[in-house]
Amino acid sequence: QVQLVESGGGLVEAGGSLRLSCAASGRAFRAYPMGWFRQAPGKEREFVAAISWGGESTYYADSVKGRFTISRDNAKNTVYLQMNSLKPEDTAVYYCAADVSIATMEGRDEDDYWGQGTQVTVSS
Protein backbone atom coordinates (compact mmCIF):
# COMPACT_ATOMS: atom_id res chain seq x y z
CA GLN A 1 0.00 0.00 0.00
CA VAL A 2 0.97 3.63 -0.21
CA GLN A 3 3.32 4.85 2.52
CA LEU A 4 3.35 8.46 3.64
CA VAL A 5 6.08 10.25 5.59
CA GLU A 6 5.54 13.78 6.87
CA SER A 7 8.27 16.26 7.66
CA GLY A 8 8.69 19.95 8.33
CA GLY A 9 6.95 20.33 11.65
CA GLY A 10 8.49 22.20 14.52
CA LEU A 11 8.21 25.09 16.92
CA VAL A 12 7.44 28.53 15.57
CA GLU A 13 6.27 31.82 17.02
CA ALA A 14 2.87 33.24 16.22
CA GLY A 15 2.88 34.95 12.85
CA GLY A 16 5.59 32.69 11.53
CA SER A 17 5.54 30.12 8.78
CA LEU A 18 6.22 26.44 8.27
CA ARG A 19 6.16 24.22 5.23
CA LEU A 20 5.12 20.63 5.70
CA SER A 21 6.03 17.93 3.23
CA CYS A 22 4.53 14.52 2.69
CA ALA A 23 6.50 12.02 0.66
CA ALA A 24 4.48 9.16 -0.77
CA SER A 25 5.70 5.86 -2.07
CA GLY A 26 4.27 3.97 -4.99
CA ARG A 27 3.18 4.84 -8.46
CA ALA A 28 -0.41 5.30 -7.33
CA PHE A 29 0.31 8.73 -5.87
CA ARG A 30 -0.99 10.58 -8.91
CA ALA A 31 -4.31 8.78 -8.72
CA TYR A 32 -5.06 10.00 -5.21
CA PRO A 33 -6.56 13.21 -4.02
CA MET A 34 -4.34 14.15 -1.09
CA GLY A 35 -4.96 16.09 2.04
CA TRP A 36 -3.91 17.25 5.45
CA PHE A 37 -5.69 16.80 8.74
CA ARG A 38 -4.73 17.87 12.23
CA GLN A 39 -5.50 16.93 15.78
CA ALA A 40 -4.89 19.22 18.72
CA PRO A 41 -4.68 18.02 22.32
CA GLY A 42 -8.14 17.34 23.67
CA LYS A 43 -9.80 17.92 20.31
CA GLU A 44 -11.07 15.74 17.51
CA ARG A 45 -9.17 15.30 14.28
CA GLU A 46 -10.21 17.92 11.77
CA PHE A 47 -9.86 18.48 8.06
CA VAL A 48 -7.35 21.14 7.01
CA ALA A 49 -6.85 21.03 3.25
CA ALA A 50 -7.14 18.77 0.22
CA ILE A 51 -6.02 18.81 -3.39
CA SER A 52 -7.31 16.95 -6.43
CA TRP A 53 -5.14 14.37 -8.13
CA GLY A 54 -4.13 16.78 -10.89
CA GLY A 55 -3.78 19.77 -8.61
CA GLU A 56 -6.50 21.73 -10.39
CA SER A 57 -8.70 22.08 -7.33
CA THR A 58 -7.90 22.82 -3.72
CA TYR A 59 -10.07 22.84 -0.64
CA TYR A 60 -9.56 24.39 2.77
CA ALA A 61 -11.15 24.47 6.15
CA ASP A 62 -12.57 27.87 7.00
CA SER A 63 -10.11 28.21 9.85
CA VAL A 64 -7.08 28.18 7.52
CA LYS A 65 -8.36 29.86 4.36
CA GLY A 66 -6.08 32.64 3.25
CA ARG A 67 -3.24 31.40 5.43
CA PHE A 68 -2.48 27.85 4.28
CA THR A 69 -1.75 26.61 0.77
CA ILE A 70 -1.73 23.00 -0.32
CA SER A 71 0.16 21.91 -3.41
CA ARG A 72 1.54 18.75 -4.94
CA ASP A 73 4.37 17.71 -7.18
CA ASN A 74 3.37 14.42 -8.72
CA ALA A 75 6.77 13.97 -10.35
CA LYS A 76 8.27 13.91 -6.87
CA ASN A 77 5.36 12.05 -5.24
CA THR A 78 5.13 14.83 -2.69
CA VAL A 79 2.37 17.01 -1.29
CA TYR A 80 3.05 20.21 0.61
CA LEU A 81 1.28 22.43 3.08
CA GLN A 82 2.59 25.97 3.28
CA MET A 83 1.40 27.50 6.54
CA ASN A 84 1.67 31.25 6.97
CA SER A 85 0.50 33.62 9.69
CA LEU A 86 0.44 30.78 12.16
CA LYS A 87 -1.63 31.11 15.30
CA PRO A 88 -1.37 29.28 18.62
CA GLU A 89 -4.65 27.54 17.79
CA ASP A 90 -2.89 25.91 14.83
CA THR A 91 -0.88 23.84 17.29
CA ALA A 92 -1.57 20.20 16.52
CA VAL A 93 -0.20 17.02 15.08
CA TYR A 94 -0.59 17.29 11.32
CA TYR A 95 -1.31 14.16 9.32
CA CYS A 96 -0.94 13.57 5.63
CA ALA A 97 -3.71 11.50 4.08
CA ALA A 98 -4.01 9.74 0.75
CA ASP A 99 -7.22 9.19 -1.18
CA VAL A 100 -9.13 11.91 0.62
CA SER A 101 -12.76 12.04 -0.42
CA ILE A 102 -13.39 15.31 -2.20
CA ALA A 103 -17.10 14.81 -1.73
CA THR A 104 -16.93 14.53 2.06
CA MET A 105 -13.44 15.79 2.97
CA GLU A 106 -12.85 12.63 4.92
CA GLY A 107 -9.88 10.33 4.95
CA ARG A 108 -9.92 6.58 4.60
CA ASP A 109 -10.42 4.28 7.53
CA GLU A 110 -7.36 2.19 6.69
CA ASP A 111 -4.16 3.16 8.52
CA ASP A 112 -2.09 2.55 5.39
CA TYR A 113 -3.47 5.75 3.86
CA TRP A 114 -2.20 7.98 6.67
CA GLY A 115 1.20 9.23 7.70
CA GLN A 116 2.47 9.10 11.26
CA GLY A 117 2.08 12.82 11.78
CA THR A 118 4.35 15.75 12.44
CA GLN A 119 4.05 18.08 15.40
CA VAL A 120 3.45 21.77 14.82
CA THR A 121 3.66 24.02 17.85
CA VAL A 122 2.93 27.73 17.64
CA SER A 123 3.90 29.84 20.62
CA SER A 124 2.36 33.18 21.52
Side-chain angles (χ1 to χ4, degrees):
Q1 294 88 349
V2 61
Q3 292 186 340
L4 308 173
V5 180
E6 303 100 330
S7 62
L11 175 64
V12 65
E13 294 185 356
S17 299
L18 285 173
R19 189 193 194 201
L20 306 184
S21 298
C22 174
S25 64
R27 296 172 61 87
F29 174 80
R30 293 178 178 175
Y32 289 132
M34 302 289 293
W36 292 91
F37 294 75
R38 67 186 182 186
Q39 186 168 21
K43 299 182 66 176
E44 298 180 0
R45 186 183 66 187
E46 65 176 346
F47 166 77
V48 175
I51 187 168
S52 61
W53 72 269
E56 303 93 346
S57 300
T58 56
Y59 311 86
Y60 299 95
D62 289 341
S63 59
V64 305
K65 286 181 179 178
R67 300 189 298 120
F68 291 10
T69 302
I70 188 171
S71 61
R72 68 190 295 165
D73 186 340
N74 289 344
K76 297 181 178 180
N77 287 356
T78 303
V79 62
Y80 306 95
L81 185 67
Q82 178 67 46
M83 305 185 295
N84 299 326
S85 301
L86 283 163
K87 305 174 181 179
E89 50 262 46
D90 294 318
T91 295
V93 177
Y94 283 71
Y95 297 93
C96 179
D99 202 17
V100 173
S101 172
I102 299 301
T104 65
M105 299 304 167
E106 296 177 339
R108 295 181 64 108
D109 293 333
E110 296 89 346
D111 291 343
D112 289 344
Y113 292 86
W114 295 84
Q116 293 299 308
T118 184
Q119 177 70 49
V120 172
T121 302
V122 184
S123 62
S124 60

